[in-house]
Amino acid sequence: MLIKERMESGMTVREWYHDRNIKEPQYYYCLRILRRKVVENTEQIPQVSPFVELSVNICQEQFPAPAAAVIRKGNIIIEVTESASAGFIQKVMEVLANAW
């Protein structure tokens, strides 16, 4: 819900989380969880990117280790930690290959 609210606000990410007194890592952690759920729950690449509603509890979990790699393309940011499985990374790369 945080991500959808930010997107509908018309504000930049930085403006939005500063305005709501949310820490930057917390926002990006929620975004990363959202993207992970979409990839894990998608059998085929959708024609329209779906949104997954996150409960507040997910965003209150302890933050994982910082990203070991960050991939940026336009407004898409993908952060990968050292604990990411090879299977997960493969799924992400397959989605990216079809998206770009």
Side-chain angles (χ1 to χ4, degrees):
M1 199 68 155
L2 289 175
I3 307 304
K4 184 177 180 184
E5 180 183 328
R6 201 286 305 164
M7 292 178 77
E8 291 174 350
S9 75
M11 301 170 113
T12 66
V13 172
R14 181 168 284 153
E15 291 170 337
W16 187 85
Y17 65 70
H18 278 294
D19 186 58
R20 287 173 179 62
N21 201 26
I22 295 173
K23 294 180 182 174
E24 181 179 7
Q26 183 179 13
Y27 176 84
Y28 284 108
Y29 175 74
C30 293
L31 183 59
R32 192 166 48 244
I33 294 295
L34 170 73
R35 289 176 176 159
R36 184 178 301 145
K37 287 190 177 290
V38 169
V39 170
E40 290 172 354
N41 293 326
T42 303
E43 293 286 327
Q44 297 178 350
I45 299 170
Q47 296 298 322
V48 177
S49 298
F51 286 92
V52 177
E53 186 171 339
L54 299 177
S55 69
V56 176
N57 294 338
I58 290 176
C59 296
Q60 293 174 347
E61 293 176 4
Q62 187 176 16
F63 295 108
V70 178
I71 303 166
R72 292 186 174 97
K73 174 79 174 183
N75 63 348
I76 298 171
I77 300 171
I78 299 171
E79 297 180 10
V80 182
T81 64
E82 290 182 4
S83 64
S85 71
F88 174 74
I89 294 172
Q90 181 180 359
K91 286 180 186 178
V92 172
M93 295 305 289
E94 289 171 2
V95 170
L96 291 175
N98 291 308
W100 291 328

